[in-house]
Every structure is written in C-alpha cells, then in structure tokens.
Amino acid sequence: MRISLSWLATYVPLPPAEELARRLTDVGLEVEAVERVGAALDGVVAARILSSERHPGAEKLSVCQVEAGQGAVQVVCGATNWKVGDVVPLATPGTRMPAGHRIDRASLRGVDSHGMLCSARELGLSEDAAGLLILPADAVPGTPLARVLGIEDVVLEVNVTPNRADALSHLGIAREVAAATGAAMAYPESGLKQQAPAASSCLRVSIEAPDRCFRYAARVVEGVRIGPSPAWLAGRLEACGVRSISNVVDATNFVLLERGQPLHAFDLDKVAGAEIVVRMARVGEKMVTLDGVERTLSPDDLVIADRDRASALAGVMGGGDSEISAGTTRVLLESAWFEPTGVRRTARRHGFHTEASHRFERGVDPEGVVPALDRCAALIAELSGGTVRRGAVDVHPHRRKPLDVELPWARAGQVLGMPVSRKEARTALLALGFELRATGAKNGKFRVPSWRLDVTREEDLIEEIVRLRGYDAIPETLPAFLSDTPAQPHGALVTERARQALEGAGFSEAVNFSFVAPEDLRPLAPGGGPTGIPIRNPISADLAVMRSSLVPSLLKVLAYNRRQRVEDVRLYEIASTYHPREAGAQDDAPAREDLRLAGVATGRRHPVGWSAGGEPVDFHDLKGALEALLESLGIEGVRFVAGGATFLHPRSAATLEWTSPGGSAVALGVAGEVHPRVAAAFDLPRGVFAFDLSFPALVEAARLVRGHAGVPRFPAVLRDLAVVVANEVESRAVLEGVRAEPLVEDVTLFDVYKGAPIPEGKKNLAMAIRYRAADRTLTDSEADAAHGRIVERLKGELEAELRG
Amino acid sequence: MDLVRDLEALAEGARQSIASAPDDRALEELRVRFLGKKGELSAVLRGMGQLTPEERPRVGEVANRVRDEVESLLVRARQRIADDRLEKELQGSRIDVTLPGRRLLPRGHRHPVTRTTEEIVAIFARLGYEVASGTEIELDWYNFEALNIPADHPARDMQDTFYVDEAALGRVGGEGAVLLRTHTSPIQIRAMKRAGAPPVRVVAPGRVYRSDYDQTHTPMFHQVEGICVGPGITFADLKGTLAAFARAFFGAGTRTRVRPSYFPFVEPGAEVDVSCTICAGVGNRAGARCGTCKGTGWLEVLGSGMVHPKVLENVGFDPSAVTGFAFGMGVERMAMLKYGIADLRLFYENDLRFLEQF
Ligand SMILES: [Zn+2]
C-alpha cells in the first residue's frame, strides 16, 4: 500500500521519513521503499521572464532574460504563449528530462542558452504541448517546480500482511504511528450538512442475504455536477497510484484510501425503481462489469441489484449500467460490510483483485461503515455543488458484539521469555486502541477495537504488546530442555555413503523439477503405460505432470549439456517419483512417493589426456560404478541378470537382484544402455547409459556396520586357469563354477578373448585363482587336486575346454 | 712354480681390466673370462694335476685367494658402475613436472542445493534436532487447514498453489483437495502427530512448489522447516536459536534482527534478518550502494514465530501446557547468499560447468 506522507501528516505528527520507515517496520508494517514524488522534476525551477527580443538569426525563436533566483540568465525559447512577467518552468543546465535527455548549456544559432523553458508535456505532467506551462504569478523564482505545483511528497511503500486490514488506509497507518511515537491523532471531521427531504423517501434498501451482507448504508446526494477534481485531490490519489477520474469517483477513492472503507457511487437515476436489493445472483444471471465484460454469475455471488437486475458485484466491482457518467446529477452512495470469504470467492471466481475486494476479503472496520459514508457524502457535496439528503438508509441485520479478551498478566512473560509488567502490557494495549474493561490480580480483560478483527485470543494480545515494545527487547536464550542426541538414522547414513560412492565414480548430482511434460515420460512407457500424475493448473505444458521416473529429466539434462558442448557427463539424482497409492495403504498420504536413485553416463570413460583415454563409456563402466556403490553400502551377493526395462537396450541391460537374509529375491533396479529409440527421442546419440534404483531397497539391503574375519595366517597358492567356452556362456557361470571349490579363496577374471586361434563362436576366459586353507599351509598337491576338480566341473557343466 | 706365477699374472690382468670396465655387460664378460667354467682360472687349475702332492696345497691356496679377489673386485666394480649411473641420472634431465596429472576419473560434485541443505540440517542436528520428512503431494488439511489457513482466507494468496488431479490418484470427490505442498510446514503437523506428545524438536528439509516462474521464482524450490515444542519454550529461545544458527551458517560475526511479521501458523510471528553477507551490514561497498541488501545492511532469510495455539490444538497438544517455536527458510536463497550465486536459473539447468564449481 502506498502511503503519502504529506497526507499522513494531516492526521499525526511525523518523524523524518527514514525514521518513520524504520518505526513502522519495527511494529510489523514493513516499509519496502521510500520514494520521493516529484524527484523527476529535480533541476526544474520557477523562472520569471524579465524581457525578450527576437533572435537575430531565427524568425521563430525568442531570446529571453529570465530570473530564476540567482540573477538574470539568458534562454532561447521557441514558444509564443507567454508574455513578459509570466512565471514559467526553467530546466537548468544538468537537468535530466523525463524523456531521458540532459539539458546542457548550448548555443542556438549563435546565441547562448542557459537551460530550457518547458511545456507541461516536456515535463511529463500532461499531454499539453501547446506552449510553456504558465505557473501562478505569485510563484517565487528559483523555487523547485515540484514545490510550486504542490506535488513534492514522500511516499512509503508499505507491505501490509493479510491479517492487518486495519492498516490498509492512511488513518490506519496514522493510528500505528501515534501508538509507536506517542503522538496524538487528529481525526478528520466529516463536515456533513444535510437537507430535507429524507433519503428514505426516494430510496429503498433491502438485504435478502444477511449472512453475506451484515450492513448496508446509503446516502443520496442531489444536484451534483460531475467535473474534474481539484489539484489537491488528484495529487493525493496519484501519489497513491490511483488515477483521477471525476470529482465523485475520486471522492469515493479518497475515503477508501483515508479510512480503508470501500464505497461505491451509483447514478440514482439509473437504479430501476429507486430500489437496492442485496441478494444472491440467480442461476445464469448475467451482468456487465465496469471493465465492459459480460459475466455469467454464480448463485454464490452476492450482487447489488435494483428492481430489475444486478448492477454490482458486491464488494468487488460495479456494473456498467449504473455507472457515474458526465450527466449524472443524483448520486446514490453505498457503504457496506460484506462477509469476507464470500467476497473472496466471488473475486477469485471472476478473476478480480480490486482495491475494494482486497479490503473486504481482509475485513473492514464494522464501525467505520457509516462514518466513511458521511465523510464521502460531505466531500461529494463540497466538490460537486450538490446537497446531501437528510439521513442515511441504514440496513443493519447483523450487529456485531464487541469482543473482550482476557490476558493472564503472567502469560506474556512466559511466552516471550522476558518479564513483562502489568503496566507495560496495559500501556501498549491502550496505545493501540484497546480498552481495559476489567482488571484483577491475575487477569486483565481488554476490549478489542472494532478495526482489529484479527485479534481474538490472548496470544494476539501478547503479539500486540511485544510488537509495540520492539522485538529487540527480547533476550536471546537457548531452549532449556534437553532431549537425547538422536542417532543418525540408517537412511541418512546410506544416503551419504551412496552420494560419496557415486561422486567417487565421477557422477555429479543433478536436481531437477519434479514435474515434466507427459511426452517426456511416454518413451519410457510404451504401450500407453502411466505418464505421471497430472497437475490441474500447471504453469506450462512442459511442467504438467509429476514424474513417475527420474530418467527422462536426467536424459534432458544430458541433452542440454551436450548442446553446451559438454560431452563427458555423468549425473545422478536422488528424488521421489509419484504414483497413485495402492489400495489399502495405511497412511493418509494422497499419493505414493517412491524415492529413487537414478543416473546417466555418456561420453568418454576417462578424460582424454596426454597418456591415455578417449574410449567411450560402456555397460561395464556403469556396472563398475554400481559395484562400487553396492560395496560402499555393504550390499553383497547382488546378481546382474540379463534383461532390464523397456527404456533400456534389450541386449545390453541388466536387472540387479539381491537376495534378502530371509531368502526372498529383491529387485534393486535396472542398468544398461538407453534404448536407441528412447535416446533418439531425447536428441541423444547411441552410447548413453542409465541406471534406476529403488532407494528404499538399497536402504534395506545396506549393511553399514559389518563383522570382520580377521587376516589369513597361512600362505596361499596361486594358479592360473584358461578355459574356452561358448560365447553364450555367461562369465558368472564360469566364476561360480570356480568358486564352488571350497579351497578357492578368490578368483580374478583377467582376460576375455575372442578370435584366432579360438574357434568361431567361442571365447577364452583367463583367470587367476587363489587357493588357501584357513587352518594350515596348503601343499602343492592339495592345490593341484583342487585345480583339477575345478577343470572337471567346468568341463562337465559348461563344456569348457582347458587351454594350456 | 709356474702355476703360481700364472695365477699372479691372471690376478693382475683382472685388476686392470675390471677397473676399466665401463658397464655391467663388460663386467659380465670379464667374470666369464676369469671365473667362468671355461675361463682363465679354470684353465690354470687344470694344470694342478701335474703337481706333486707337496705343491698342491700351496697352489690351491693361491688359487682361492685369486678367486676371492676377483669376485670382490667384480662386486665393487658393479657398485661403482651403479653409483655412476645413479649419479648421472640425478644430475641428468628433469621430468616435466608441469604435464597434467593422470586422473582416471575426476570426482563428481554435489549439487549446491543439497550441500546447503546438508549444512543447514547439520547445524540443527548439533542442536539436538531430529530430521523428518513428509509427502510432497499433500492434503489440503496438512498444508493449510491444520496450519490455521482456512479455505477462502487471504493468507492463501501468499502462496500460489498447484492442485493435483484427484481422479488420477483414484480419489473420489469430497475427500479434500490434493495439492503440491507450498511449504515444508505440513511436516510440522505430521511430525507432531507422529510424536503424539511433546517435546518435539525436528528439522525438515524438502521440495516445495508454488505457481510462480520468473527471474526470482522457480515453480519448485527447497525449504528447511524447523519446530521446537515443549514446556516453557519461549520467544527468547527462538531468537537465541536462530541467532546461533545464523552465526554457524554465515560466520561468527553475523548479526541478526527480528521484527514482527505474519504467518498464519505462528503468533507472534517474526521475520529474521541477518547482517548482509556482502557488505557486512554496512549497506555500501567501496562507496557504492550494496545491491544485495539494497543498501539496508540486512537480508531477509527466515520466517518464524511462536507456534499458533490453534496449530497445537490441531495436533492434540494443550496450548496452556506447551509452547513452541517454528521457523522456515528457502534453501536456494541461503545458497545464493552463501556462495554468491546471482542467477536462480543456474540451480535447475544442471549445467555440469556450474555443478563442477561445488
Ligand atoms: Zn549489503
């Protein structure tokens, strides 16, 4: 809300602007900006034209001597609407004009000019470019133009939080200033003069929806002449960012900004039947609002209707039919109290956020309805030459009972953690307009001022006390009670280990939006599978569904990085995916959120360097990274089983299977080359690898603290073994065949070879086997026997042939 | 005694040639020449058969002495050659120490949002807070109603809300609206309900969503929420806790300022400012107005307040017996201030060239 300090100063004495801004911020009315109005006219001063003569070299120019406070200066001028002795605006050298250019000392066709005499248009004051702006003859030369025009002002931009409807006006802010500074308030008089006959003889008001309109008061002003507002009024409104329209409309806006009570003026002659009915809209009822749009109303919309039709959306916006126009002579002025949530629903339904709805939604002062009406009627009469009919038509079905709140004297100190004396509490509350209704040893009872609808319980009183006293007064302590130091939960430790393992394997972390385009998920769900959970009001089509997989986001980031010419990319993300919940789920979460750990890799295996590098990443690089991850989490016995998911290459992917201690197989996730068609859909080439793991499954499988087996005390015997098997035989089968021999401590596959002299369709696997017995030194013959058993087993089970 | 003379001559020849041998290969040749099976010493000893039994021990003694001498000459010569070689290397050409180091895999980097979240959470963990989480697709009741933000309340304007298609979740109408949580505050509610009774001391990081996308807003961002509820918790505790946090996070010299504000789920409510991290709270740098704090010397970083009694009632706590405070902060904002990141978009582009700087 914009607060004009010259206006505010008419109600309460003010400290300097910067201090005022700080004081208001300290009581909870945050001042976001302090703006000097008229600053655009800096450097422009009033100047009296002393004499003039024709320019020696140009017919249309005059050379003037002007007095601008510091002796005569010479200015060349092209306008003709002035005479010697007039006072006009002079832009002195150095002035930055509203259009952006700078006025400098110049020579115009050989004659020096020390500045520029200006039109209203050149100063950005109006569209009038006909000639110089002629100022009042009594303006003192040298006076800044903003002061001459009375537009010199300071405006505070105050951020009024939704609970403080009472501060959405100059009087409301003045009340806070008075409370904070101890200065006295001067409330404006309405100055209302009324004349017979009574308003009630020409206007009837009825309320058919008393739950939505607690009070409706109206006055009639007759003999009105619509015209422009005087400069002081237009200036006040413009300082607050409200456009001046006409004397009557400006009067309603002035009172709105003064008191926070929205008012509406109707042309009484256009109110059919001279009758106001406050009622709910009828099904299908239509109305043209002031913005010229025809709207179909909802039966939940409250309208101000005449005998025939709706003529305003109550508390939100007026209608075009009964609008004040140049020919209006009889004004019906409305001041009402509408139920806040109803106003809010109507405003939102029709996409409005008006000065009126903003205030009604937050709750205007129920006791301010009639004073605002009187003030505005008097102002309209004064500005337009009209007369106010006697009496208000005031329908008041819902009378508000004043609210009294008890404050246990000790309570403020308990909540704030500092002593608050009874006197301090009382002083603060009385300064803010609360009344002390009763006082006892333990409690005080305070009556809440009518404009503070947000104050309903003792905590609210405590806030009032402390915000007036200043939060700085509160000491800094730490909570006294001690809980146990909570152990780091297993899940958090697994998360940290997993991150470290992946970062060690060269994967950086990406954080992506949880929403994606449905098309992004489609390549992962061929056959019309689910494509995320739709958002009803997405911010864009690209961010329309909650993702059911992390992979598309990561592929998009890969593509983004490749477009930036970053080609070696490894990324991971730990985040939730979103799914409909299963029937019978125990908690009350509306959706199932599965935490996943996914990653992608593309580009080169190692960075190209002077010594090596440059080979592309392949499946086994990804597998190596995952093995390092599993090892760091203490997950043992994971099998990579051929075949992954539909988004992966059918011949180059695996499922990670882990067997729980209970013996059940748990799928941890999948890994492999991204299916070439999926890659193409994301503008990616071949050679993109991805994994997608269930994080809860990893957490379940992880054993971060394991037992240990000591260190072997007897020597090992080493033997190499090379066998030839068919290509289809998985290396795992060969290695398992080796490990089945009890004396084998470890086996390392150190070479896989295809090609001559190995026959077509076969491969040679070379292994280093380490034999060891835990309780004795193994003899060569024992090791030979074990080696022989392995060879026989591989021959029998896998048709392996021994190679020398 | 020709043999003795021959042996002495052999020894003399060995001394000279070994002393001048240039390298290991030459030495090996000399070893074979003097001591090998077909070498000179063997040739001399073959003549021993013609000696008388009286002469043999004496010649044998000389032969052994010569063999020992040649062997030790060879050992010393090898050492000399190795020493020469090492000395030559130590004085020779240098390696290029400026060639880049050999790195098989550069380390990956953690996203600054995660890093910052971890830093914040770790500070509160040291203060005894447990870490909690909650669902992102949330019920209106947890996100708004339980936090004292009823339907049609203007405070809902403070947070533009995304709503979720309930049919896609298999929900029938009338079960309450489903939305993307607009703040981490619903985790307060879930944490207090889960605990069942005070005290509750919880810190909760997470993703949050608001329908706002421009220079200074992204539709998804991160918050960290905290709540501390128990008997006798005061506003002074709130101030002390957050001042301690600010010093731990931004540095020991950081000052805090607490001023009244409004959040529906706290009363009294407070905005917490910290002294500007760029200009150290002065408001200007090198004579120019500080752009980060707009010359005020203060940065808004936290919303907080004493937990509203209605919120305590909503989770079944007795507001006359327990009090508490709650606070919340935006992780991206904290990261921007701490790491001097000027452009919010960088967080969600995931450009590796950005991520690698953390
Ligand atoms: Zn600063």
Side-chain angles (χ1 to χ4, degrees), chain A residues 226-355:
Chain A
I226 303 296
S229 290
W232 69 266
L233 177 54
R236 288 264 188 271
L237 296 185
E238 273 159 20
C240 297
V242 176
R243 200 160 52 91
S244 171
I245 294 165
S246 70
N247 48 8
V248 170
V249 174
D250 288 359
T252 61
N253 283 331
F254 177 83
V255 175
L256 169 95
L257 296 173
E258 180 184 77
R259 295 166 178 262
Q261 170 70 45
L263 301 132
H264 189 65
F266 298 88
D267 184 332
L268 182 54
D269 292 323
K270 294 179 197 158
V271 175
E275 185 184 354
I276 289 288
V277 183
V278 184
R279 60 166 170 84
M280 304 313 296
R282 306 202 165 98
V283 176
E285 188 168 4
K286 290 188 164 60
M287 184 193 137
V288 178
T289 41
L290 270 178
D291 53 3
V293 177
E294 187 188 63
R295 294 169 192 274
T296 302
L297 305 181
S298 149
D300 185 51
D301 291 333
L302 185 71
V303 297
I304 311 301
D306 60 13
R307 185 191 60 206
D308 300 337
R309 59 191 183 279
S311 54
L313 274 176
V316 179
M317 187 173 261
D321 293 343
S322 54
E323 193 182 352
I324 300 289
S325 62
T328 300
T329 59
R330 299 170 77 221
V331 171
L332 187 175
L333 186 64
E334 160 200 301
S335 182
W337 202 93
F338 299 115
E339 193 278 318
T341 63
V343 172
R344 183 177 160 85
R345 286 199 300 277
T346 291
R348 288 175 70 87
R349 186 176 297 127
H350 298 290
F352 283 123
H353 187 109
T354 61
E355 294 281 345

Side-chain angles (χ1 to χ4, degrees), chain B residues 276 278-279 283 290 292-293 297:
Chain B
C276 179
I278 303 300
C279 65
C290 173
T292 303
C293 62

Side-chain angles (χ1 to χ4, degrees), chain A residues 547-799:
Chain A
R547 57 186 173 169
S548 50
S549 165
L550 307 185
V551 174
S553 312
L554 288 167
L555 293 178
K556 287 182 102 170
V557 172
L558 268 194
Y560 175 85
N561 275 286
R562 284 180 54 83
R563 285 198 300 277
Q564 315 304 315
R565 297 275 177 271
V566 181
E567 287 173 346
D568 301 337
V569 187
R570 298 180 191 212
L571 291 166
Y572 78 92
E573 182 170 16
I574 301 178
S576 284
T577 57
Y578 309 88
H579 314 271
R581 59 197 253 124
E582 272 99 32
Q586 287 305 301
D587 59 20
D588 62 356
R592 177 165 64 87
E593 294 178 18
D594 289 346
L595 199 58
R596 306 293 294 186
L597 165 56
V600 289
T602 188
R604 287 171 287 238
R605 175 176 302 157
H606 308 302
V608 178
W610 52 275
S611 63
E615 312 89 340
V617 163
D618 69 13
F619 173 86
H620 294 94
D621 291 309
L622 192 71
K623 182 174 176 183
L626 293 176
E627 285 170 339
L629 167 72
L630 295 168
E631 187 183 305
S632 78
L633 299 181
I635 303 177
E636 288 173 346
V638 172
R639 288 155 43 104
F640 282 70
V641 181
T646 50
F647 73 93
L648 296 175
H649 191 301
R651 290 287 178 264
S652 176
T655 299
L656 281 69
E657 278 186 12
W658 175 73
T659 307
S660 75
S664 53
V666 178
L668 298 179
V670 295
E673 183 185 349
V674 172
H675 194 296
R677 291 204 183 88
V678 174
F682 286 90
D683 285 328
L684 289 166
R686 290 293 302 267
V688 175
F689 294 83
F691 65 86
D692 182 13
L693 308 177
S694 160
F695 204 75
L698 291 177
V699 170
E700 191 204 330
R703 294 291 173 271
L704 301 184
V705 181
R706 281 177 295 172
H708 69 96
V711 169
R713 296 296 176 197
F714 295 95
V717 177
L718 303 178
R719 291 274 191 282
D720 284 356
L721 175 66
V723 293
V724 174
V725 293
N727 277 342
E728 297 75 48
V729 174
E730 290 184 332
S731 56
R732 173 165 53 86
V734 176
L735 295 173
E736 281 178 358
V738 173
R739 289 202 185 95
E741 166 55 46
L743 286 176
V744 170
E745 183 183 65
D746 193 24
V747 53
T748 303
L749 179 64
F750 64 83
D751 189 41
V752 178
Y753 178 75
K754 291 176 195 173
I758 307 298
E760 188 83 352
K762 301 209 170 206
K763 61 187 173 187
N764 179 55
L765 304 180
M767 294 162 278
I769 304 174
R770 192 164 70 222
Y771 299 92
R772 196 195 305 268
D775 55 353
R776 63 186 189 283
T777 298
L778 218 51
T779 64
D780 276 349
S781 59
E782 280 178 300
D784 289 343
H787 208 67
R789 285 194 294 276
I790 289 172
V791 170
E792 289 313 309
R793 183 178 299 115
L794 297 183
K795 277 181 180 165
E797 292 177 1
L798 303 172
E799 296 175 6

Side-chain angles (χ1 to χ4, degrees), chain B residues 275-285 289-299:
Chain B
S275 49
C276 179
T277 52
I278 303 300
C279 65
V282 179
N284 55 67
R285 283 180 89 199
R289 196 181 78 134
C290 173
T292 303
C293 62
K294 300 194 178 73
T296 62
W298 294 101
L299 300 167

